[in-house]
Coordinates of all heavy atoms in Angstrom, one line a residue:
G300 N -14.7 -16.1 5.1 CA -14.5 -14.8 4.6 C -13.2 -14.6 3.9 O -12.9 -13.5 3.4
T301 N -12.3 -15.6 3.9 CA -11.0 -15.5 3.3 C -11.1 -15.4 1.8 O -11.8 -16.2 1.2 CB -10.1 -16.7 3.7 OG1 -10.0 -16.8 5.1 CG2 -8.7 -16.5 3.1
R302 N -10.5 -14.4 1.2 CA -10.6 -14.3 -0.3 C -9.5 -15.1 -0.9 O -8.3 -15.1 -0.5 CB -10.5 -12.8 -0.6 CG -11.6 -12.0 -0.1 CD -11.5 -10.5 -0.5 NE -12.4 -9.7 0.2 CZ -13.6 -9.5 -0.1 NH1 -14.2 -10.1 -1.1 NH2 -14.4 -8.6 0.6
Y303 N -9.8 -15.6 -2.1 CA -8.9 -16.4 -2.9 C -9.1 -16.1 -4.3 O -10.1 -15.5 -4.8 CB -9.2 -17.9 -2.8 CG -9.1 -18.5 -1.4 CD1 -10.2 -18.6 -0.5 CD2 -7.8 -18.9 -0.9 CE1 -10.0 -19.2 0.7 CE2 -7.7 -19.5 0.4 CZ -8.8 -19.6 1.2 OH -8.7 -20.1 2.4
L304 N -8.1 -16.4 -5.1 CA -8.2 -16.4 -6.5 C -8.5 -17.7 -7.0 O -7.9 -18.7 -6.7 CB -6.8 -15.9 -7.2 CG -6.4 -14.5 -6.9 CD1 -5.0 -14.2 -7.3 CD2 -7.4 -13.5 -7.6
L305 N -9.6 -17.8 -7.8 CA -10.0 -19.1 -8.3 C -9.2 -19.4 -9.6 O -9.2 -18.7 -10.6 CB -11.5 -19.0 -8.7 CG -12.1 -20.3 -9.4 CD1 -12.1 -21.4 -8.4 CD2 -13.5 -20.0 -9.9
L306 N -8.4 -20.5 -9.5 CA -7.5 -20.8 -10.6 C -8.1 -21.8 -11.6 O -7.9 -21.8 -12.8 CB -6.2 -21.4 -10.0 CG -5.5 -20.5 -9.0 CD1 -4.2 -21.2 -8.5 CD2 -5.1 -19.2 -9.7
K307 N -8.8 -22.8 -11.0 CA -9.4 -23.9 -11.8 C -10.6 -24.5 -11.1 O -10.6 -24.7 -9.9 CB -8.3 -25.0 -11.9 CG -8.6 -26.0 -13.0 CD -7.4 -27.0 -13.0 CE -7.1 -27.4 -14.4 NZ -6.0 -28.3 -14.4
E308 N -11.7 -24.7 -11.8 CA -12.9 -25.2 -11.2 C -13.3 -26.5 -11.9 O -13.3 -26.6 -13.1 CB -14.0 -24.2 -11.4 CG -15.2 -24.4 -10.7 CD -16.2 -23.3 -10.7 OE1 -16.0 -22.3 -11.5 OE2 -17.2 -23.3 -10.0
S309 N -13.6 -27.5 -11.1 CA -14.1 -28.8 -11.6 C -15.5 -29.0 -11.0 O -16.1 -28.1 -10.4 CB -13.2 -29.9 -11.2 OG -13.2 -30.1 -9.8
T310 N -16.1 -30.1 -11.2 CA -17.4 -30.4 -10.8 C -17.6 -30.3 -9.3 O -18.6 -29.7 -8.8 CB -17.9 -31.8 -11.2 OG1 -17.5 -32.0 -12.6 CG2 -19.3 -32.0 -11.1
E311 N -16.7 -30.8 -8.5 CA -16.8 -30.9 -7.1 C -16.0 -29.9 -6.3 O -16.3 -29.6 -5.2 CB -16.6 -32.3 -6.6 CG -17.7 -33.3 -7.1 CD -17.4 -34.7 -6.6 OE1 -16.7 -34.9 -5.6 OE2 -18.0 -35.6 -7.3
S312 N -14.8 -29.6 -6.8 CA -13.9 -28.7 -6.1 C -13.2 -27.7 -7.0 O -13.2 -27.9 -8.2 CB -12.9 -29.6 -5.3 OG -12.0 -30.2 -6.2
S313 N -12.6 -26.8 -6.4 CA -11.9 -25.7 -7.1 C -10.5 -25.6 -6.6 O -10.2 -25.7 -5.4 CB -12.6 -24.4 -7.0 OG -13.8 -24.4 -7.6
L314 N -9.5 -25.3 -7.5 CA -8.2 -24.9 -7.1 C -8.1 -23.4 -6.9 O -8.4 -22.7 -7.8 CB -7.2 -25.4 -8.1 CG -5.7 -25.0 -7.8 CD1 -5.2 -25.8 -6.6 CD2 -4.8 -25.4 -9.1
V315 N -7.8 -23.0 -5.6 CA -7.7 -21.6 -5.3 C -6.3 -21.3 -4.8 O -5.6 -22.2 -4.3 CB -8.8 -21.2 -4.2 CG1 -10.2 -21.4 -4.8 CG2 -8.6 -22.0 -2.9
R316 N -5.9 -20.0 -4.9 CA -4.7 -19.5 -4.3 C -5.0 -18.3 -3.4 O -5.7 -17.4 -3.7 CB -3.7 -19.0 -5.4 CG -2.4 -18.6 -4.9 CD -1.4 -18.1 -6.0 NE -1.8 -16.9 -6.5 CZ -1.9 -16.6 -7.8 NH1 -1.6 -17.6 -8.7 NH2 -2.3 -15.4 -8.3
N317 N -4.4 -18.4 -2.2 CA -4.5 -17.3 -1.2 C -3.5 -16.3 -1.7 O -2.3 -16.5 -1.7 CB -4.1 -17.8 0.2 CG -4.3 -16.7 1.2 OD1 -3.9 -15.6 1.0 ND2 -4.8 -17.1 2.4
P318 N -3.9 -15.1 -2.1 CA -3.0 -14.1 -2.6 C -2.0 -13.6 -1.5 O -0.9 -13.1 -1.9 CB -3.9 -12.9 -3.0 CG -5.1 -13.1 -2.3 CD -5.3 -14.6 -2.0
E319 N -2.3 -13.6 -0.3 CA -1.4 -13.2 0.8 C -0.3 -14.1 1.0 O 0.9 -13.7 1.3 CB -2.2 -12.9 2.1 CG -3.1 -11.7 1.9 CD -3.9 -11.4 3.2 OE1 -3.5 -11.9 4.3 OE2 -4.9 -10.7 3.1
T320 N -0.5 -15.4 0.9 CA 0.5 -16.5 1.2 C 1.0 -17.1 0.0 O 2.1 -17.7 0.0 CB -0.1 -17.5 2.1 OG1 -1.1 -18.2 1.4 CG2 -0.6 -17.0 3.4
G321 N 0.3 -17.1 -1.1 CA 0.7 -17.7 -2.3 C 0.4 -19.2 -2.3 O 0.6 -19.9 -3.3
K322 N -0.2 -19.7 -1.2 CA -0.5 -21.2 -1.1 C -1.7 -21.5 -2.0 O -2.7 -20.8 -1.9 CB -0.7 -21.6 0.3 CG 0.6 -21.5 1.1 CD 0.5 -22.0 2.5 CE 1.8 -21.9 3.2 NZ 1.7 -22.4 4.6
Q323 N -1.6 -22.7 -2.6 CA -2.7 -23.2 -3.4 C -3.3 -24.4 -2.7 O -2.6 -25.1 -2.1 CB -2.3 -23.6 -4.8 CG -1.8 -22.5 -5.7 CD -1.4 -22.9 -7.1 OE1 -1.7 -24.0 -7.5 NE2 -0.7 -22.0 -7.8
R324 N -4.6 -24.6 -2.9 CA -5.3 -25.7 -2.3 C -6.6 -26.0 -3.0 O -7.1 -25.1 -3.7 CB -5.5 -25.6 -0.8 CG -6.5 -24.5 -0.4 CD -6.5 -24.4 1.2 NE -7.5 -23.5 1.6 CZ -8.6 -23.8 2.2 NH1 -8.8 -25.1 2.6 NH2 -9.5 -22.9 2.6
H325 N -7.1 -27.2 -2.9 CA -8.4 -27.5 -3.4 C -9.5 -27.3 -2.3 O -9.2 -27.7 -1.2 CB -8.4 -29.0 -3.9 CG -7.7 -29.1 -5.2 ND1 -6.4 -29.4 -5.3 CD2 -8.2 -29.0 -6.5 CE1 -6.0 -29.5 -6.6 NE2 -7.1 -29.2 -7.3
V326 N -10.6 -26.7 -2.7 CA -11.7 -26.4 -1.8 C -13.0 -26.9 -2.4 O -13.2 -26.7 -3.6 CB -11.8 -24.9 -1.5 CG1 -12.9 -24.6 -0.5 CG2 -10.5 -24.4 -0.9
P327 N -13.8 -27.6 -1.6 CA -15.1 -28.0 -2.2 C -15.9 -26.8 -2.7 O -15.9 -25.7 -2.1 CB -15.8 -28.6 -1.0 CG -14.8 -29.0 -0.1 CD -13.7 -28.0 -0.2
N328 N -16.5 -26.9 -3.9 CA -17.2 -25.8 -4.5 C -18.3 -25.3 -3.6 O -18.6 -24.1 -3.5 CB -17.9 -26.2 -5.8 CG -16.8 -26.4 -6.9 OD1 -15.7 -25.8 -6.8 ND2 -17.1 -27.1 -7.9
A329 N -18.9 -26.2 -2.8 CA -20.0 -25.8 -1.9 C -19.5 -24.8 -0.8 O -20.3 -24.1 -0.2 CB -20.6 -27.0 -1.2
D330 N -18.2 -24.8 -0.5 CA -17.6 -23.9 0.5 C -17.1 -22.6 0.0 O -16.6 -21.8 0.7 CB -16.4 -24.6 1.2 CG -16.8 -25.8 2.0 OD1 -18.0 -26.0 2.2 OD2 -15.9 -26.6 2.3
L331 N -17.3 -22.3 -1.3 CA -16.9 -21.1 -2.0 C -18.1 -20.3 -2.5 O -19.0 -20.9 -3.0 CB -15.9 -21.4 -3.1 CG -14.6 -22.0 -2.7 CD1 -13.8 -22.4 -4.0 CD2 -13.8 -21.1 -1.8
E332 N -17.9 -19.0 -2.5 CA -18.9 -18.1 -3.2 C -18.2 -17.0 -3.9 O -17.1 -16.6 -3.4 CB -19.9 -17.6 -2.2 CG -19.4 -16.6 -1.2 CD -20.4 -16.1 -0.2 OE1 -20.9 -16.9 0.6 OE2 -20.8 -14.9 -0.4
P333 N -18.7 -16.6 -5.0 CA -18.0 -15.5 -5.8 C -18.1 -14.2 -5.0 O -19.1 -14.0 -4.3 CB -18.8 -15.4 -7.1 CG -20.0 -16.3 -7.0 CD -19.9 -17.1 -5.7
V334 N -17.1 -13.4 -5.2 CA -17.1 -12.0 -4.6 C -17.4 -11.1 -5.8 O -16.6 -10.8 -6.6 CB -15.8 -11.7 -3.9 CG1 -15.8 -10.2 -3.4 CG2 -15.5 -12.7 -2.8
D335 N -18.7 -10.6 -5.8 CA -19.1 -9.7 -6.9 C -18.5 -8.4 -6.8 O -18.3 -7.8 -5.7 CB -20.6 -9.6 -6.9 CG -21.3 -10.9 -7.2 OD1 -20.8 -11.7 -8.0 OD2 -22.4 -11.1 -6.7
G336 N -18.1 -7.8 -7.9 CA -17.5 -6.5 -7.9 C -16.1 -6.3 -7.5 O -15.6 -5.2 -7.4
E337 N -15.4 -7.4 -7.2 CA -14.0 -7.3 -6.9 C -13.1 -8.0 -8.0 O -13.3 -9.1 -8.3 CB -13.7 -8.0 -5.6 CG -12.2 -7.8 -5.2 CD -11.9 -8.2 -3.7 OE1 -12.8 -8.1 -2.9 OE2 -10.8 -8.6 -3.5
S338 N -12.3 -7.2 -8.6 CA -11.4 -7.6 -9.7 C -10.5 -8.7 -9.1 O -9.9 -8.5 -8.0 CB -10.7 -6.4 -10.2 OG -9.5 -6.9 -11.0

Side-chain angles (χ1 to χ4, degrees):
T301 304
R302 295 179 194 280
Y303 298 96
L304 291 169
L305 178 66
L306 304 176
K307 194 180 220 180
E308 190 172 7
S309 67
T310 313
E311 295 181 18
S312 69
S313 295
L314 178 63
V315 297
R316 181 178 73 228
N317 183 319
E319 292 179 17
T320 64
K322 292 184 179 180
Q323 295 182 11
R324 67 185 185 111
H325 284 90
V326 178
N328 289 337
D330 295 347
L331 295 173
E332 66 180 73
V334 178
D335 294 327
E337 184 169 328
S338 162

